[in-house]
Each structure stands twice: as C-alpha cells, then as structure tokens.
Amino acid sequence: MRLYDTATRSLQELPAAPGPVRMYFCGPTVYQRIHVGNARPFVVSMWLKRWLERNGYDVNLVENITDINDKIYAAAPGHSAELAADASRWYVADTEDLGIGRPDHEPKATETIPQIVALIEELVDGGHAYPAGGDVYFRVSSFADYGRLSGRHGDEDAMRNPSEEEERSELKEDPRDFALWKAHKEGEDTWWDSPWGRGRPGWHIECSAMAEAFLGPAFEIHGGGIDLVFPHHENEIAQSRSAGREFARIWMHNGMLRLAGEKMSKSLGNIVSLREALDRWGRETLLVYFLGGHWRKPIDYSDDVLEQAAAQAESFRNVFRSASEPVGEWEPFAAALEDDFNTPEALAVMHGWRDHDLLRRGLEVFGLEMLAEAEVAPPELEELARRRAEARERKDFAEADRLRDEIEAADWDVCDVDAEPGFQLVPRR
C-alpha cells in the first residue's frame, strides 16, 4: 500500500502483509464537545485500520486524549480535572456513535506522567533540555533537523514556536525553545511532582511519551490534522529523535473542514459539534460525506454538501431495494484504496456496483453496512399500504390517494412494485 508522507512529500510503500502496522493519531484536547473537523482524523485512522486488517496486517492503533492543557484550565478554572473527565466521556460517546469501532489504545496524558517525566529527564541529561524557573525547555539548537517536517528548516523567523500554550519567554535561551514541563501556577487545580518541582507537562512531550509507551521507539504511521504540523509534530520529532528514538516513519496529515470558507475551529467559534451533526444528519450521511473528500485535502461543510451525501447514502439503499445484478468488480475499489487511500475514487467505484454481496463487502470497510439492511415500516403503515393496494385493485383511486397521503404524513413513501405484496415502503429523508 502506498501512502503520501508529509515529511518526504512523496508516496511511501508499507511493507507487504502480513506484518505489523503501528499507528499513532493525535486525538482531541478535551474541554468541550468535539466538532466535526476534530472527528476527521478519528474517521481516517479507523478506516485505514479496518482496511489494513482486512488485507492481513496486524494493526495497533493508538489515539490519545489530551486532558492536561492550558485550554482546559482556562475553560474551567479550579475545575479543569472535572471538565476534562466529562469532555473525555463526551468524545468517546460521540465518536462511538459513528459506528466504526475504536482504536486499540486511547491513553490520556494524566495516565502517562511517569513516562513523560522519564523522557524529559533523558533530554535534560543529554543536553537537549534545560530547567529554568521550575519549567523545563527543549533546546531547539541541539537538534539540527528542526523544521524539516514543516518545510521551515533554517528559517529562524518562522520557527519561534507560536505554541497554543502560554510560555515564559524570559526563561528561554532561544525564542524557538518550547516547554516540556511547566511549573504549577496559581489557579491550576492539577499538578504532579517532578525533579524540577510541582507542575505538569507541556503539550508536545505528552504525545512523544504516549506514542512510545504503546508503540515502542519506532512505528510506521503518525497522523493528525494539517494544523498540527508546526509546532506540535515538529516538536514531537525533535524530542523523540533527540532521545535516540527513530519515531514515526510516515506522516499523514489530513486536510481541514471549512465552514463558510474558513477552517472549522473552536478558537474562531465557527464550529458544528459532532453531536449536532450526528443528531441532524445521521451517521451514514456523515460517513459518506467524509468518504467524498481525499484525506489529504480540505473539505467544505454545508447543508448542500451534506444533502448530497444523504442522497448518495440513499442511492446505496436503493440498490438493495432492487434485485441484485452481477455488475461491478472488487479490483478497481481495492486499487483506489491501495493508492494513497483514495476514498473518493473508492466511493465512485461503489456507486457503479449492483451486486448486493459486492456492495455490502465494500460498505463494510467504512462501517456503512447498515445501508444494506431493509428498513421495516411500523405495522400500522404496512396495514395502510395493504389497504391502498386493495383500493387500487377495485379502482377506488380517491381512497388509494387518501391512504397514500396518510402514509406520507408519517414520513414514508409507498412505491408500487411487481413483487409481492405489490408495494414497498421507503422512509423519507
């Protein structure tokens, strides 16, 4: 399988199956319900896991939960731990409702403090980090390759670490340096002891430690949103490789969701929560929507786009409402996914299939097998449809129309078919 690697800007081949594929995808910082854009790396990682496992790979997927962060402290002063616990549950519940499974491990930063402290100690002992005023900072000048992932190598003005978290610039040797450990501040309701005093980890070191804890010093794939390339992923590489770990071999950065032309972002306030989207559109429509965008590219989120996805989902249901035909082949579908996991091309291939077994097999890759299941109307609507068929037989079209209107008022359509019992009830969407 070939995947585009952000680090090398080229397609890289995974080893042939069978064999292990270890993947780490950056999960959310939990201080409110995640938005639809936050769900994209979760969906991409789970789909990739499902596809690789179907092709004989032994996949170990880790997706972390960042439950220590300045944003959490700011959102719930004095109650950040409670908010982080609640928001972690919301995240799991909402992504669970997508129906595509779960990662093999979902570590939290709060559960990985010993590993984080040990990694920071290694960096300090090796001269790659230095304590300052209760904080510990990574010494960027000690890592010669800093900036290569983001294409900023050698551009010092572009590498001044615009961190999402507040840092004390007066304690830094170099503006590019970033915090590995932060001294406890008044108002922060969580802290841990360390060789540098009471405090808590910085954002970037959390992922380096969690990835190694579950995947070892080297693994095949690291994923996350394109907005994490700098400084988050750049800093992960610097930390881990300075400590002697090979770290990730392939980097996958998914494109952002855009709402009204702008990146969907909590900080901008232009978000639609995953919970809202699921309640309004349903999981099948949302998954078809994600299928329609290549993982590397941005995709727009709007009512029009979601309505198109709903229509595509309905077109798959319609295939199963008709007789199966020997139309379609697996090979073009597999080829699309083997070539940089091209889901839009795979989606287009499936739309040409009329073979029920083949289509069901393809839909299962993406957790969409429910589209193959017949939806059963309530018994009272079945009775109305039977009476309408009898009215049509005796040519009482006024009564037939009245019964049809009653069925449609319940958000179902009745279609006349040749097979028994002579009608089919289809839910309106």
Side-chain angles (χ1 to χ4, degrees):
M1 181 177 186
R2 302 194 307 166
L3 289 172
Y4 182 83
D5 178 13
T6 306
T8 63
R9 279 73 171 173
S10 63
L11 288 168
Q12 300 294 314
E13 293 278 353
L14 285 178
V21 173
R22 295 154 295 182
M23 304 194 300
Y24 183 91
F25 273 67
C26 283
T29 298
V30 284
Y31 60 97
Q32 62 184 50
R33 288 202 114 97
I34 66 165
H35 61 69
V36 183
N38 298 145
R40 195 177 192 194
F42 179 89
V43 171
V44 169
S45 67
M46 288 305 307
W47 280 347
L48 184 58
K49 171 182 168 66
R50 294 164 72 100
W51 176 248
L52 290 172
E53 288 176 338
R54 279 163 173 74
N55 284 277
Y57 288 95
D58 179 16
V59 180
N60 186 4
L61 171 62
V62 178
E63 190 147 349
N64 74 293
I65 296 175
T66 297
D67 59 348
I68 311 170
N69 188 274
D70 280 0
K71 290 182 175 180
I72 308 173
Y73 290 123
H79 302 279
S80 73
E82 181 181 350
L83 174 61
D86 288 343
S88 296
R89 287 192 292 271
W90 301 335
Y91 162 69
V92 171
D94 293 348
T95 50
E96 186 73 20
D97 283 350
L98 289 166
I100 52 177
R102 300 224 62 82
D104 298 288
H105 305 282
E106 296 180 86
K108 296 177 180 178
T110 52
E111 300 167 346
T112 324
I113 299 296
Q115 295 93 324
I116 292 170
V117 170
L119 182 54
I120 296 173
E121 287 185 292
E122 279 192 61
L123 292 169
V124 171
D125 292 344
H128 296 286
Y130 55 92
D135 295 351
V136 180
Y137 291 91
F138 182 84
R139 184 176 281 120
V140 168
S141 62
S142 72
F143 184 65
D145 282 340
Y146 192 81
R148 290 199 185 279
L149 178 69
S150 57
R152 306 180 187 206
H153 187 256
D155 185 351
E156 292 196 10
D157 287 337
M159 295 191 298
R160 293 185 180 270
N161 272 296
S163 178
E164 286 195 358
E165 298 196 305
E166 182 182 350
E167 297 181 349
R168 298 172 63 185
S169 58
E170 73 275 9
L171 297 179
K172 297 182 181 184
E173 295 178 353
D174 184 324
R176 298 175 300 168
D177 296 347
F178 55 91
L180 303 176
W181 187 261
K182 297 187 173 189
H184 179 249
K185 300 178 183 66
E186 185 178 354
E188 295 180 349
D189 58 306
T190 57
W191 61 83
W192 292 263
D193 291 324
S194 80
W196 317 284
R198 178 177 287 180
R200 47 91 176 191
W203 176 35
H204 313 297
I205 195 69
E206 295 172 355
C207 283
S208 283
M210 284 188 278
E212 182 177 352
F214 289 91
L215 300 176
F219 52 96
E220 282 68 38
I221 298 171
H222 193 315
I226 190 71
D227 57 332
L228 299 182
V229 174
F230 187 86
H232 187 49
H233 289 167
E234 197 76 73
N235 292 351
E236 285 184 52
I237 291 174
Q239 297 160 165
S240 294
R241 292 191 178 163
S242 293
R245 282 63 159 172
E246 181 183 346
F247 207 53
R249 295 168 180 160
I250 297 174
W251 289 82
M252 291 179 66
H253 289 107
N254 62 268
M256 298 290 99
L257 264 66
R258 297 179 301 203
L259 186 64
E262 288 189 302
K263 179 187 82 169
M264 191 176 290
S265 166
K266 296 171 189 170
S267 60
L268 294 175
N270 63 339
I271 63 171
V272 175
S273 75
L274 177 59
R275 181 74 270 149
E276 291 172 320
L278 283 165
D279 290 345
R280 179 176 180 189
W281 297 103
R283 59 176 293 273
E284 292 87 359
T285 293
L286 272 184
L287 292 177
V288 172
Y289 160 72
F290 281 124
L291 273 177
H294 192 286
W295 63 268
R296 281 197 287 119
K297 298 179 180 178
I299 51 175
D300 291 320
Y301 186 94
S302 68
D303 285 355
D304 287 346
V305 174
L306 268 296
E307 285 167 3
Q308 291 170 18
Q312 291 186 78
E314 193 65 15
S315 72
F316 286 129
R317 293 187 182 96
N318 285 334
V319 172
F320 293 100
R321 290 168 184 148
S322 302
S324 181
E325 303 175 39
V327 176
E329 296 179 344
W330 183 257
E331 286 71 22
F333 173 84
L337 296 182
E338 288 294 300
D339 187 10
D340 201 25
F341 206 57
N342 191 338
T343 60
E345 179 62 28
L347 178 63
V349 170
M350 287 194 295
H351 275 303
W353 291 349
R354 295 295 177 268
D355 183 303
H356 288 188
D357 290 339
L358 183 64
L359 182 54
R360 185 180 289 104
R361 181 183 172 195
L363 292 171
E364 284 174 352
V365 173
F366 307 112
L368 285 165
E369 56 271 21
M370 286 292 292
L371 296 177
E373 295 184 10
E375 295 168 282
V376 179
E380 60 270 22
L381 295 186
E382 291 278 355
E383 174 61 19
L384 290 177
R386 185 189 62 76
R387 287 165 50 195
R388 174 183 173 273
E390 291 172 351
R392 284 172 56 83
E393 272 193 30
R394 63 176 184 267
K395 301 190 183 304
D396 187 350
F397 298 114
E399 176 64 3
D401 289 346
R402 187 191 69 77
L403 291 165
R404 181 199 61 211
D405 291 344
E406 193 172 342
I407 293 168
E408 290 178 353
D411 288 328
W412 286 74
D413 286 321
V414 57
C415 306
D416 298 312
V417 296
D418 292 335
E420 289 293 331
F423 61 84
Q424 184 179 65
L425 286 166
V426 178
R428 287 188 156 189
R429 301 185 189 280

